[in-house]
Amino acid sequence: MTSSRPRTLSTSEERRETVLRTAVDTFASRGYYGTTTTEVATRAGISQAYVYRLFPNKEALFLAVVAHAYDLVRDSLARGAAAATSTAPLDVLYAMGDSYARLIQDKNLMLIQLHAQAAAVAEPAVRDAVRAGYARVVEYVRSVSGATEPEVQQFFATGLLCHLIVAIDADHIDAPWARALSAGIRHF
């Protein structure tokens, strides 16, 4: 039986997006060093050669994943800023933090950021990508919130603490050290 609908071929940009989404999940589970392009290709349902047609090497693919992650963070912060109940800097930061806390419910996004930070120690191109991602996000938060530099620094320090709390489930541990780390930090 033949379908009456014409078959729609994927464009290279659609395939690129599919590979990117698949790579996020794959790199999140195994990190930069533990992931191969073969794994990404297999999960995406395409050949490794096609992955290499879209991304020249594993590093380029990972750098695209890192940039994508920071785009998602930036978009989340923008949604938060738009939802702020006032233009007071701390209110805007609170709304941004709330939106980000919702975003990292997808632990893969958080894991990509953590893996990128770990790989940045030894991989100059990854370091540059993480720096560029942070530069863009910090400048966005600074300019949109109107917060002071110490307030922006505190905002990002709290975000990094959120990563730790979520990574080790500290908010589910009833112990003094876990309560000290988790106090006042909201999670979803």
Side-chain angles (χ1 to χ4, degrees):
M1 175 179 237
T2 306
S3 171
S4 61
R5 293 187 328 192
R7 183 170 173 223
T8 306
L9 297 176
S10 296
T11 65
S12 68
E13 189 55 37
E14 289 169 333
R15 284 290 178 135
R16 190 176 199 287
E17 288 301 314
T18 298
V19 170
L20 196 55
R21 281 192 310 276
T22 303
V24 167
D25 295 341
T26 310
F27 281 116
S29 66
R30 301 192 34 129
Y32 177 67
Y33 297 108
T35 299
T36 66
T37 55
T38 302
E39 290 172 286
V40 174
T42 300
R43 284 186 173 188
I46 60 175
S47 70
Q48 184 179 23
Y50 197 81
V51 171
Y52 282 124
R53 187 181 315 164
L54 299 170
F55 301 94
N57 53 42
K58 181 173 98 167
E59 180 181 77
L61 176 58
F62 188 68
L63 295 177
V65 165
V66 171
H68 175 70
Y70 283 106
D71 288 344
L72 293 174
V73 170
R74 166 54 179 78
D75 293 346
S76 172
L77 296 172
R79 284 190 303 279
T85 57
S86 84
T87 58
L90 293 180
D91 289 341
V92 175
L93 289 176
Y94 184 87
M96 288 176 161
D98 188 64
S99 184
Y100 182 73
R102 291 178 192 283
L103 179 68
I104 63 170
Q105 287 182 89
D106 174 1
K107 290 192 179 172
N108 283 349
L109 179 63
M110 184 185 71
L111 285 168
I112 288 298
Q113 292 177 73
L114 294 173
H115 285 305
Q117 290 167 13
V121 172
E123 302 293 335
V126 176
R127 183 179 316 121
D128 290 344
V130 172
R131 283 178 181 164
Y134 264 100
R136 202 170 132 234
V137 171
V138 170
E139 286 305 313
Y140 178 78
V141 168
R142 195 178 61 72
S143 67
V144 169
S145 70
T148 65
E149 284 190 12
E151 290 167 336
V152 171
Q153 182 186 48
Q154 183 63 46
F155 175 79
F156 280 92
T158 301
L160 292 171
L161 179 58
C162 284
H163 285 188
L164 175 64
I165 291 166
V166 170
I168 64 173
D169 282 330
D171 55 334
H172 294 104
I173 297 172
D174 187 21
W177 69 267
R179 285 191 301 272
L181 285 179
S182 300
I185 305 291
R186 57 198 180 276
H187 300 281
F188 299 98

